[in-house]
mmCIF file of all heavy atoms in Angstrom:
data_model
loop_
_atom_site.group_PDB
_atom_site.id
_atom_site.type_symbol
_atom_site.label_atom_id
_atom_site.label_comp_id
_atom_site.label_asym_id
_atom_site.label_seq_id
_atom_site.Cartn_x
_atom_site.Cartn_y
_atom_site.Cartn_z
ATOM 1 N N GLY E 226 6.018 -12.722 14.501
ATOM 2 C CA GLY E 226 7.085 -13.575 13.979
ATOM 3 C C GLY E 226 6.588 -14.909 13.465
ATOM 4 O O GLY E 226 6.960 -15.350 12.368
ATOM 5 N N PHE E 227 5.737 -15.579 14.253
ATOM 6 C CA PHE E 227 5.201 -16.870 13.810
ATOM 7 C C PHE E 227 4.347 -16.707 12.549
ATOM 8 O O PHE E 227 4.410 -17.546 11.644
ATOM 9 C CB PHE E 227 4.402 -17.547 14.923
ATOM 10 C CG PHE E 227 5.245 -18.251 15.934
ATOM 11 C CD1 PHE E 227 5.156 -17.931 17.286
ATOM 12 C CD2 PHE E 227 6.144 -19.239 15.563
ATOM 13 C CE1 PHE E 227 5.945 -18.587 18.230
ATOM 14 C CE2 PHE E 227 6.938 -19.904 16.496
ATOM 15 C CZ PHE E 227 6.835 -19.564 17.832
ATOM 16 N N LEU E 228 3.567 -15.632 12.478
ATOM 17 C CA LEU E 228 2.773 -15.381 11.269
ATOM 18 C C LEU E 228 3.685 -15.142 10.065
ATOM 19 O O LEU E 228 3.427 -15.665 8.972
ATOM 20 C CB LEU E 228 1.825 -14.196 11.474
ATOM 21 C CG LEU E 228 0.578 -14.491 12.285
ATOM 22 C CD1 LEU E 228 -0.168 -13.202 12.632
ATOM 23 C CD2 LEU E 228 -0.342 -15.447 11.532
ATOM 24 N N ASN E 229 4.746 -14.347 10.247
ATOM 25 C CA ASN E 229 5.694 -14.122 9.151
ATOM 26 C C ASN E 229 6.313 -15.436 8.677
ATOM 27 O O ASN E 229 6.398 -15.683 7.468
ATOM 28 C CB ASN E 229 6.813 -13.167 9.585
ATOM 29 C CG ASN E 229 6.475 -11.718 9.335
ATOM 30 O OD1 ASN E 229 5.645 -11.392 8.514
ATOM 31 N ND2 ASN E 229 7.138 -10.839 10.058
ATOM 32 N N LEU E 230 6.740 -16.267 9.610
ATOM 33 C CA LEU E 230 7.334 -17.561 9.243
ATOM 34 C C LEU E 230 6.341 -18.439 8.490
ATOM 35 O O LEU E 230 6.637 -18.963 7.409
ATOM 36 C CB LEU E 230 7.807 -18.300 10.493
ATOM 37 C CG LEU E 230 9.081 -17.815 11.149
ATOM 38 C CD1 LEU E 230 9.293 -18.527 12.484
ATOM 39 C CD2 LEU E 230 10.264 -18.077 10.235
ATOM 40 N N PHE E 231 5.168 -18.604 9.070
ATOM 41 C CA PHE E 231 4.154 -19.472 8.484
ATOM 42 C C PHE E 231 3.757 -18.996 7.086
ATOM 43 O O PHE E 231 3.737 -19.783 6.131
ATOM 44 C CB PHE E 231 2.924 -19.528 9.397
ATOM 45 C CG PHE E 231 1.788 -20.312 8.824
ATOM 46 C CD1 PHE E 231 1.845 -21.696 8.758
ATOM 47 C CD2 PHE E 231 0.658 -19.672 8.332
ATOM 48 C CE1 PHE E 231 0.795 -22.423 8.215
ATOM 49 C CE2 PHE E 231 -0.387 -20.390 7.795
ATOM 50 C CZ PHE E 231 -0.324 -21.767 7.735
ATOM 51 N N LEU E 232 3.468 -17.695 6.963
ATOM 52 C CA LEU E 232 3.014 -17.184 5.668
ATOM 53 C C LEU E 232 4.135 -17.178 4.630
ATOM 54 O O LEU E 232 3.887 -17.463 3.454
ATOM 55 C CB LEU E 232 2.393 -15.797 5.832
ATOM 56 C CG LEU E 232 1.071 -15.800 6.596
ATOM 57 C CD1 LEU E 232 0.627 -14.380 6.924
ATOM 58 C CD2 LEU E 232 -0.016 -16.545 5.822
ATOM 59 N N ALA E 233 5.360 -16.884 5.036
ATOM 60 C CA ALA E 233 6.479 -16.924 4.091
ATOM 61 C C ALA E 233 6.656 -18.341 3.533
ATOM 62 O O ALA E 233 6.862 -18.524 2.333
ATOM 63 C CB ALA E 233 7.768 -16.439 4.762
ATOM 64 N N ILE E 234 6.557 -19.333 4.401
ATOM 65 C CA ILE E 234 6.683 -20.728 3.952
ATOM 66 C C ILE E 234 5.545 -21.088 2.999
ATOM 67 O O ILE E 234 5.772 -21.729 1.966
ATOM 68 C CB ILE E 234 6.733 -21.679 5.168
ATOM 69 C CG1 ILE E 234 8.050 -21.501 5.923
ATOM 70 C CG2 ILE E 234 6.543 -23.140 4.740
ATOM 71 C CD1 ILE E 234 8.085 -22.147 7.298
ATOM 72 N N GLN E 235 4.332 -20.664 3.323
ATOM 73 C CA GLN E 235 3.190 -20.976 2.467
ATOM 74 C C GLN E 235 3.285 -20.269 1.108
ATOM 75 O O GLN E 235 2.923 -20.838 0.085
ATOM 76 C CB GLN E 235 1.875 -20.623 3.172
ATOM 77 C CG GLN E 235 1.644 -21.371 4.473
ATOM 78 C CD GLN E 235 1.887 -22.862 4.352
ATOM 79 O OE1 GLN E 235 1.371 -23.531 3.480
ATOM 80 N NE2 GLN E 235 2.705 -23.393 5.262
ATOM 81 N N LEU E 236 3.786 -19.028 1.113
ATOM 82 C CA LEU E 236 3.991 -18.327 -0.159
ATOM 83 C C LEU E 236 5.060 -19.030 -0.981
ATOM 84 O O LEU E 236 4.920 -19.187 -2.194
ATOM 85 C CB LEU E 236 4.387 -16.869 0.084
ATOM 86 C CG LEU E 236 3.289 -15.938 0.566
ATOM 87 C CD1 LEU E 236 3.870 -14.585 0.947
ATOM 88 C CD2 LEU E 236 2.194 -15.780 -0.469
ATOM 89 N N TYR E 237 6.131 -19.448 -0.322
ATOM 90 C CA TYR E 237 7.194 -20.154 -1.027
ATOM 91 C C TYR E 237 6.668 -21.452 -1.659
ATOM 92 O O TYR E 237 7.080 -21.829 -2.758
ATOM 93 C CB TYR E 237 8.362 -20.443 -0.085
ATOM 94 C CG TYR E 237 9.503 -21.108 -0.784
ATOM 95 C CD1 TYR E 237 10.355 -20.378 -1.613
ATOM 96 C CD2 TYR E 237 9.721 -22.480 -0.654
ATOM 97 C CE1 TYR E 237 11.394 -20.999 -2.282
ATOM 98 C CE2 TYR E 237 10.758 -23.101 -1.315
ATOM 99 C CZ TYR E 237 11.581 -22.361 -2.125
ATOM 100 O OH TYR E 237 12.609 -22.977 -2.801
ATOM 101 N N LYS E 238 5.748 -22.114 -0.961
ATOM 102 C CA LYS E 238 5.144 -23.345 -1.480
ATOM 103 C C LYS E 238 4.062 -23.051 -2.516
ATOM 104 O O LYS E 238 3.445 -23.983 -3.038
ATOM 105 C CB LYS E 238 4.537 -24.156 -0.331
ATOM 106 C CG LYS E 238 5.565 -24.757 0.590
ATOM 107 C CD LYS E 238 4.889 -25.561 1.694
ATOM 108 C CE LYS E 238 5.881 -26.260 2.569
ATOM 109 N NZ LYS E 238 5.224 -27.062 3.616
ATOM 110 N N ASP E 239 3.838 -21.767 -2.796
ATOM 111 C CA ASP E 239 2.876 -21.318 -3.808
ATOM 112 C C ASP E 239 1.443 -21.741 -3.488
ATOM 113 O O ASP E 239 0.679 -22.120 -4.368
ATOM 114 C CB ASP E 239 3.285 -21.804 -5.194
ATOM 115 C CG ASP E 239 2.588 -21.025 -6.301
ATOM 116 O OD1 ASP E 239 2.184 -19.869 -6.066
ATOM 117 O OD2 ASP E 239 2.439 -21.585 -7.409
ATOM 118 N N ARG E 240 1.092 -21.686 -2.228
ATOM 119 C CA ARG E 240 -0.280 -21.964 -1.815
ATOM 120 C C ARG E 240 -1.117 -20.729 -2.152
ATOM 121 O O ARG E 240 -0.892 -19.657 -1.594
ATOM 122 C CB ARG E 240 -0.359 -22.259 -0.323
ATOM 123 C CG ARG E 240 0.550 -23.369 0.130
ATOM 124 C CD ARG E 240 -0.102 -24.724 -0.159
ATOM 125 N NE ARG E 240 0.804 -25.836 -0.119
ATOM 126 C CZ ARG E 240 1.242 -26.455 0.963
ATOM 127 N NH1 ARG E 240 0.881 -26.042 2.153
ATOM 128 N NH2 ARG E 240 2.051 -27.483 0.863
ATOM 129 N N ILE E 241 -2.063 -20.864 -3.040
ATOM 130 C CA ILE E 241 -2.811 -19.722 -3.556
ATOM 131 C C ILE E 241 -3.554 -18.986 -2.437
ATOM 132 O O ILE E 241 -3.637 -17.769 -2.447
ATOM 133 C CB ILE E 241 -3.758 -20.149 -4.717
ATOM 134 C CG1 ILE E 241 -4.166 -18.947 -5.548
ATOM 135 C CG2 ILE E 241 -4.936 -20.905 -4.217
ATOM 136 C CD1 ILE E 241 -3.104 -18.437 -6.466
ATOM 137 N N TRP E 242 -4.052 -19.706 -1.427
ATOM 138 C CA TRP E 242 -4.754 -19.066 -0.314
ATOM 139 C C TRP E 242 -3.815 -18.198 0.530
ATOM 140 O O TRP E 242 -4.236 -17.245 1.184
ATOM 141 C CB TRP E 242 -5.434 -20.105 0.585
ATOM 142 C CG TRP E 242 -4.475 -21.083 1.201
ATOM 143 C CD1 TRP E 242 -4.135 -22.305 0.714
ATOM 144 C CD2 TRP E 242 -3.690 -20.893 2.388
ATOM 145 N NE1 TRP E 242 -3.197 -22.898 1.531
ATOM 146 C CE2 TRP E 242 -2.906 -22.050 2.568
ATOM 147 C CE3 TRP E 242 -3.586 -19.864 3.325
ATOM 148 C CZ2 TRP E 242 -2.035 -22.201 3.630
ATOM 149 C CZ3 TRP E 242 -2.706 -20.023 4.383
ATOM 150 C CH2 TRP E 242 -1.947 -21.182 4.532
ATOM 151 N N ALA E 243 -2.517 -18.505 0.500
ATOM 152 C CA ALA E 243 -1.553 -17.781 1.325
ATOM 153 C C ALA E 243 -1.355 -16.344 0.844
ATOM 154 O O ALA E 243 -1.019 -15.472 1.639
ATOM 155 C CB ALA E 243 -0.218 -18.511 1.350
ATOM 156 N N TYR E 244 -1.574 -16.103 -0.433
ATOM 157 C CA TYR E 244 -1.431 -14.739 -0.947
ATOM 158 C C TYR E 244 -2.472 -13.828 -0.282
ATOM 159 O O TYR E 244 -2.135 -12.767 0.245
ATOM 160 C CB TYR E 244 -1.599 -14.710 -2.468
ATOM 161 C CG TYR E 244 -0.483 -15.408 -3.196
ATOM 162 C CD1 TYR E 244 -0.529 -16.778 -3.455
ATOM 163 C CD2 TYR E 244 0.633 -14.698 -3.629
ATOM 164 C CE1 TYR E 244 0.498 -17.417 -4.124
ATOM 165 C CE2 TYR E 244 1.668 -15.326 -4.298
ATOM 166 C CZ TYR E 244 1.592 -16.692 -4.543
ATOM 167 O OH TYR E 244 2.615 -17.315 -5.203
ATOM 168 N N PHE E 245 -3.722 -14.241 -0.321
ATOM 169 C CA PHE E 245 -4.785 -13.441 0.286
ATOM 170 C C PHE E 245 -4.624 -13.370 1.800
ATOM 171 O O PHE E 245 -4.812 -12.309 2.411
ATOM 172 C CB PHE E 245 -6.164 -14.008 -0.085
ATOM 173 C CG PHE E 245 -7.290 -13.146 0.382
ATOM 174 C CD1 PHE E 245 -7.565 -11.936 -0.230
ATOM 175 C CD2 PHE E 245 -8.068 -13.539 1.461
ATOM 176 C CE1 PHE E 245 -8.589 -11.124 0.223
ATOM 177 C CE2 PHE E 245 -9.098 -12.739 1.915
ATOM 178 C CZ PHE E 245 -9.367 -11.527 1.290
ATOM 179 N N ALA E 246 -4.240 -14.477 2.422
ATOM 180 C CA ALA E 246 -4.034 -14.480 3.876
ATOM 181 C C ALA E 246 -2.906 -13.529 4.267
ATOM 182 O O ALA E 246 -3.016 -12.791 5.251
ATOM 183 C CB ALA E 246 -3.723 -15.902 4.359
ATOM 184 N N THR E 247 -1.829 -13.524 3.498
ATOM 185 C CA THR E 247 -0.703 -12.630 3.770
ATOM 186 C C THR E 247 -1.142 -11.177 3.679
ATOM 187 O O THR E 247 -0.823 -10.364 4.554
ATOM 188 C CB THR E 247 0.449 -12.902 2.786
ATOM 189 O OG1 THR E 247 0.896 -14.250 2.961
ATOM 190 C CG2 THR E 247 1.602 -11.935 2.989
ATOM 191 N N ILE E 248 -1.859 -10.850 2.622
ATOM 192 C CA ILE E 248 -2.338 -9.475 2.450
ATOM 193 C C ILE E 248 -3.239 -9.079 3.613
ATOM 194 O O ILE E 248 -3.083 -7.995 4.189
ATOM 195 C CB ILE E 248 -3.063 -9.329 1.092
ATOM 196 C CG1 ILE E 248 -2.055 -9.461 -0.054
ATOM 197 C CG2 ILE E 248 -3.820 -8.006 1.024
ATOM 198 C CD1 ILE E 248 -2.683 -9.639 -1.421
ATOM 199 N N THR E 249 -4.152 -9.951 3.994
ATOM 200 C CA THR E 249 -5.079 -9.655 5.086
ATOM 201 C C THR E 249 -4.339 -9.425 6.399
ATOM 202 O O THR E 249 -4.574 -8.433 7.099
ATOM 203 C CB THR E 249 -6.100 -10.799 5.247
ATOM 204 O OG1 THR E 249 -6.791 -10.977 4.003
ATOM 205 C CG2 THR E 249 -7.089 -10.507 6.358
ATOM 206 N N VAL E 250 -3.444 -10.329 6.739
ATOM 207 C CA VAL E 250 -2.682 -10.216 7.991
ATOM 208 C C VAL E 250 -1.840 -8.943 7.982
ATOM 209 O O VAL E 250 -1.788 -8.198 8.977
ATOM 210 C CB VAL E 250 -1.816 -11.473 8.220
ATOM 211 C CG1 VAL E 250 -0.791 -11.252 9.314
ATOM 212 C CG2 VAL E 250 -2.695 -12.665 8.527
ATOM 213 N N MET E 251 -1.185 -8.669 6.863
ATOM 214 C CA MET E 251 -0.328 -7.487 6.795
ATOM 215 C C MET E 251 -1.134 -6.195 6.908
ATOM 216 O O MET E 251 -0.681 -5.235 7.537
ATOM 217 C CB MET E 251 0.505 -7.517 5.517
ATOM 218 C CG MET E 251 1.574 -8.587 5.558
ATOM 219 S SD MET E 251 2.633 -8.603 4.113
ATOM 220 C CE MET E 251 3.566 -7.115 4.406
ATOM 221 N N VAL E 252 -2.314 -6.153 6.309
ATOM 222 C CA VAL E 252 -3.161 -4.957 6.414
ATOM 223 C C VAL E 252 -3.564 -4.727 7.869
ATOM 224 O O VAL E 252 -3.527 -3.591 8.365
ATOM 225 C CB VAL E 252 -4.400 -5.064 5.490
ATOM 226 C CG1 VAL E 252 -5.449 -4.025 5.851
ATOM 227 C CG2 VAL E 252 -3.987 -4.922 4.035
ATOM 228 N N ILE E 253 -3.901 -5.784 8.568
ATOM 229 C CA ILE E 253 -4.257 -5.658 9.991
ATOM 230 C C ILE E 253 -3.076 -5.095 10.780
ATOM 231 O O ILE E 253 -3.241 -4.152 11.571
ATOM 232 C CB ILE E 253 -4.719 -7.014 10.560
ATOM 233 C CG1 ILE E 253 -6.065 -7.405 9.947
ATOM 234 C CG2 ILE E 253 -4.807 -6.967 12.085
ATOM 235 C CD1 ILE E 253 -6.472 -8.847 10.190
ATOM 236 N N PHE E 254 -1.888 -5.637 10.569
ATOM 237 C CA PHE E 254 -0.711 -5.136 11.282
ATOM 238 C C PHE E 254 -0.379 -3.698 10.862
ATOM 239 O O PHE E 254 0.068 -2.899 11.681
ATOM 240 C CB PHE E 254 0.493 -6.056 11.083
ATOM 241 C CG PHE E 254 0.500 -7.220 12.027
ATOM 242 C CD1 PHE E 254 0.240 -8.498 11.566
ATOM 243 C CD2 PHE E 254 0.753 -7.046 13.378
ATOM 244 C CE1 PHE E 254 0.237 -9.580 12.436
ATOM 245 C CE2 PHE E 254 0.760 -8.121 14.265
ATOM 246 C CZ PHE E 254 0.489 -9.386 13.787
ATOM 247 N N ILE E 255 -0.589 -3.360 9.595
ATOM 248 C CA ILE E 255 -0.319 -1.987 9.144
ATOM 249 C C ILE E 255 -1.237 -1.000 9.853
ATOM 250 O O ILE E 255 -0.791 0.088 10.246
ATOM 251 C CB ILE E 255 -0.426 -1.876 7.608
ATOM 252 C CG1 ILE E 255 0.829 -2.496 6.978
ATOM 253 C CG2 ILE E 255 -0.581 -0.421 7.171
ATOM 254 C CD1 ILE E 255 0.785 -2.586 5.470
ATOM 255 N N PHE E 256 -2.507 -1.349 10.028
ATOM 256 C CA PHE E 256 -3.407 -0.453 10.762
ATOM 257 C C PHE E 256 -2.870 -0.200 12.167
ATOM 258 O O PHE E 256 -2.867 0.939 12.647
ATOM 259 C CB PHE E 256 -4.832 -1.016 10.831
ATOM 260 C CG PHE E 256 -5.645 -0.716 9.614
ATOM 261 C CD1 PHE E 256 -6.161 -1.754 8.847
ATOM 262 C CD2 PHE E 256 -5.909 0.580 9.232
ATOM 263 C CE1 PHE E 256 -6.913 -1.487 7.721
ATOM 264 C CE2 PHE E 256 -6.660 0.871 8.104
ATOM 265 C CZ PHE E 256 -7.167 -0.168 7.350
ATOM 266 N N TYR E 257 -2.399 -1.247 12.823
ATOM 267 C CA TYR E 257 -1.847 -1.080 14.166
ATOM 268 C C TYR E 257 -0.559 -0.250 14.115
ATOM 269 O O TYR E 257 -0.332 0.625 14.950
ATOM 270 C CB TYR E 257 -1.579 -2.440 14.822
ATOM 271 C CG TYR E 257 -1.020 -2.300 16.212
ATOM 272 C CD1 TYR E 257 -1.826 -1.852 17.257
ATOM 273 C CD2 TYR E 257 0.310 -2.572 16.479
ATOM 274 C CE1 TYR E 257 -1.318 -1.696 18.536
ATOM 275 C CE2 TYR E 257 0.826 -2.421 17.751
ATOM 276 C CZ TYR E 257 0.004 -1.981 18.770
ATOM 277 O OH TYR E 257 0.521 -1.809 20.028
ATOM 278 N N GLN E 258 0.295 -0.519 13.126
ATOM 279 C CA GLN E 258 1.541 0.232 12.988
ATOM 280 C C GLN E 258 1.267 1.714 12.749
ATOM 281 O O GLN E 258 1.950 2.569 13.329
ATOM 282 C CB GLN E 258 2.384 -0.359 11.844
ATOM 283 C CG GLN E 258 2.966 -1.706 12.169
ATOM 284 C CD GLN E 258 3.531 -2.453 10.966
ATOM 285 O OE1 GLN E 258 3.658 -3.644 11.022
ATOM 286 N NE2 GLN E 258 3.849 -1.790 9.881
ATOM 287 N N VAL E 259 0.287 2.031 11.909
ATOM 288 C CA VAL E 259 -0.055 3.433 11.657
ATOM 289 C C VAL E 259 -0.538 4.085 12.945
ATOM 290 O O VAL E 259 -0.170 5.231 13.251
ATOM 291 C CB VAL E 259 -1.100 3.560 10.522
ATOM 292 C CG1 VAL E 259 -1.682 4.965 10.455
ATOM 293 C CG2 VAL E 259 -0.473 3.163 9.183
ATOM 294 N N HIS E 260 -1.323 3.376 13.718
ATOM 295 C CA HIS E 260 -1.772 3.879 15.020
ATOM 296 C C HIS E 260 -0.560 4.199 15.898
ATOM 297 O O HIS E 260 -0.495 5.272 16.514
ATOM 298 C CB HIS E 260 -2.679 2.840 15.689
ATOM 299 C CG HIS E 260 -2.980 3.113 17.117
ATOM 300 N ND1 HIS E 260 -3.813 4.131 17.523
ATOM 301 C CD2 HIS E 260 -2.540 2.508 18.237
ATOM 302 C CE1 HIS E 260 -3.867 4.139 18.847
ATOM 303 N NE2 HIS E 260 -3.104 3.157 19.308
ATOM 304 N N ARG E 261 0.420 3.292 15.932
ATOM 305 C CA ARG E 261 1.617 3.513 16.739
ATOM 306 C C ARG E 261 2.455 4.672 16.183
ATOM 307 O O ARG E 261 3.041 5.438 16.946
ATOM 308 C CB ARG E 261 2.477 2.243 16.793
ATOM 309 C CG ARG E 261 1.810 1.037 17.401
ATOM 310 C CD ARG E 261 1.499 1.202 18.850
ATOM 311 N NE ARG E 261 2.712 1.436 19.613
ATOM 312 C CZ ARG E 261 2.750 1.695 20.903
ATOM 313 N NH1 ARG E 261 1.649 1.766 21.590
ATOM 314 N NH2 ARG E 261 3.891 1.892 21.510
ATOM 315 N N ILE E 262 2.510 4.810 14.861
ATOM 316 C CA ILE E 262 3.251 5.916 14.246
ATOM 317 C C ILE E 262 2.620 7.250 14.642
ATOM 318 O O ILE E 262 3.333 8.205 14.982
ATOM 319 C CB ILE E 262 3.294 5.759 12.706
ATOM 320 C CG1 ILE E 262 4.204 4.587 12.326
ATOM 321 C CG2 ILE E 262 3.771 7.051 12.041
ATOM 322 C CD1 ILE E 262 4.074 4.152 10.873
ATOM 323 N N ILE E 263 1.305 7.324 14.615
ATOM 324 C CA ILE E 263 0.610 8.560 14.992
ATOM 325 C C ILE E 263 0.911 8.917 16.441
ATOM 326 O O ILE E 263 1.145 10.080 16.772
ATOM 327 C CB ILE E 263 -0.907 8.425 14.748
ATOM 328 C CG1 ILE E 263 -1.179 8.367 13.242
ATOM 329 C CG2 ILE E 263 -1.680 9.566 15.407
ATOM 330 C CD1 ILE E 263 -2.593 7.968 12.885
ATOM 331 N N LEU E 264 0.958 7.915 17.304
ATOM 332 C CA LEU E 264 1.211 8.177 18.724
ATOM 333 C C LEU E 264 2.675 8.483 19.023
ATOM 334 O O LEU E 264 2.976 9.329 19.866
ATOM 335 C CB LEU E 264 0.778 6.971 19.565
ATOM 336 C CG LEU E 264 -0.715 6.680 19.641
ATOM 337 C CD1 LEU E 264 -0.955 5.406 20.450
ATOM 338 C CD2 LEU E 264 -1.459 7.851 20.266
#
């Protein structure tokens, strides 16, 4: 939740680094989510 809030605010402020950070964080969470989906 805190990551979603922080990154959403940074994207809204058009911080160029936030785009890559958002993608990176989301990919990490997706790997975990896929693991949970398989289980």
